[in-house]
Amino acid sequence: MDIERKHAELIDLFVKQAAVLDGPALAGLVLEVTSHPSLFAFSEILSVPNLAKLEGTQYSSSLDVLRLFAYGTWGDYRSNAGSLPALSSDQVRKLKQLSVLTLAETNKVLRYNQLMQELDVSNVRELEDFLINECMYAGIVRGKLDQLRTCFEVQFAAGRDLRPEQLNNMIQTLSNWLDTSDNLLYLIQEKIKWADTMSEATKKHRKEIEDKVEEVKKSLKADMDLRGHEDMFSEHGGLMDYEEDRIRPKR
């Protein structure tokens, strides 16, 4: 969260600067933005109206560079190097970092041969050093280097700016997620209602059983009391017969 907060503060700072600059000063800001070691999102800066004014001017290439860093990769730069200005070493490193993030968007297991080709790296040692020092230590990705399988297993990757053609897909994905969440919430609520109903039914059933037990107890007690009275009367009757026989004169 602290990294995200600092990143947001950094973007806000550059947005405010871009809003008051123009011409060569704005081109210089683009160079600073695309070289900054802690900045990996550029769409908010790109949306500042002043940057659109660079289109068609001698500084329009700076706008193209900013678009490249917002949506492109190192491979895109190599394919269009003739129409773009030369990049500094800091910009090259940043663009390669962004290229790793782009690859991690669609695949969580990145093969070394694919990474070496995309990043224009000549050997495995150089590739692993880049992934460790420039990506994992920078906090933009987390994962495991598997030398046996010659791949990088991605566990986390920071998100990049959405390309314009990705926006509709993202909206559809979020809409589907919202529908799924609504359905899940409905099912949970129905389960809660069912549980409440079963709880009430259980309580009612327990009360009925307890009432029946009490009725049986009362019935047994009444029956025992009745039997006790009958036995007592029987004993008294036997005693009286005995006394009468004892005092009756013998013939």
Side-chain angles (χ1 to χ4, degrees), residues 9-229:
E9 292 174 352
L10 195 59
I11 291 175
D12 185 58
L13 173 64
F14 283 127
V15 165
K16 289 178 179 178
Q17 290 180 4
V20 296
L21 298 176
D22 57 10
L26 196 54
L29 181 66
V30 169
L31 176 61
E32 182 182 357
V33 165
T34 54
S35 302
H36 198 287
S38 300
L39 189 63
F40 296 92
F42 308 91
S43 59
E44 289 186 54
I45 302 170
L46 187 59
S47 66
V48 175
N50 279 1
L51 281 158
K53 296 177 182 178
L54 295 179
E55 193 79 63
T57 70
Q58 59 179 321
Y59 305 107
S60 61
S61 61
S62 295
L63 181 59
D64 294 333
V65 167
L66 188 57
R67 286 172 179 158
L68 173 69
F69 276 74
Y71 311 122
T73 64
W74 174 245
D76 294 329
Y77 175 76
R78 287 187 298 169
S79 300
N80 299 278
S83 59
L84 292 170
L87 300 181
S88 68
S89 59
D90 289 338
Q91 286 177 309
V92 170
R93 179 176 61 253
K94 173 61 62 65
L95 195 53
K96 288 185 177 182
Q97 290 171 315
L98 294 169
S99 300
V100 172
L101 296 183
T102 297
L103 292 172
E105 286 178 356
T106 55
N107 198 341
K108 299 307 177 184
V109 178
L110 305 178
R111 297 293 175 183
Y112 278 5
N113 55 358
Q114 179 188 18
L115 286 167
M116 291 169 66
Q117 180 178 354
E118 291 291 333
L119 302 179
D120 198 19
V121 174
S122 59
N123 59 73
V124 171
R125 177 63 182 274
E126 185 181 353
L127 173 64
E128 291 183 336
D129 286 347
F130 179 80
L131 292 173
I132 294 171
N133 298 326
E134 308 300 344
C135 296
M136 287 193 275
Y137 283 174
I140 60 173
V141 295
R142 290 194 300 270
K144 175 184 177 183
L145 297 173
D146 190 333
Q147 295 179 331
L148 185 62
R149 296 169 54 207
T150 62
C151 67
F152 176 51
E153 297 179 2
V154 181
Q155 298 169 347
F156 160 81
R160 289 199 64 181
D161 295 304
L162 280 178
R163 292 182 288 276
E165 63 271 17
Q166 291 179 304
L167 188 57
N168 289 335
N169 288 337
M170 180 58 71
I171 292 173
Q172 185 61 49
T173 298
L174 292 174
S175 178
N176 293 340
W177 176 83
L178 182 60
D179 291 341
T180 301
S181 299
D182 288 340
N183 292 334
L184 183 59
L185 179 60
Y186 173 78
L187 291 174
I188 292 173
Q189 291 173 338
E190 289 299 309
K191 288 290 185 181
I192 293 174
K193 291 179 182 178
W194 177 83
D196 290 342
T197 301
M198 292 301 296
S199 178
E200 290 300 321
T202 300
K203 291 178 181 178
K204 182 178 180 181
H205 182 61
R206 182 183 296 116
K207 183 66 168 57
E208 291 174 351
I209 292 175
E210 291 174 351
D211 291 343
K212 288 182 180 180
V213 169
E214 287 299 320
E215 289 178 6
V216 171
K217 286 182 179 179
K218 291 178 181 179
S219 177
L220 288 174
K221 186 175 184 301
D223 187 55
M224 291 175 65
D225 290 344
L226 180 60
R227 288 179 180 276
H229 286 301

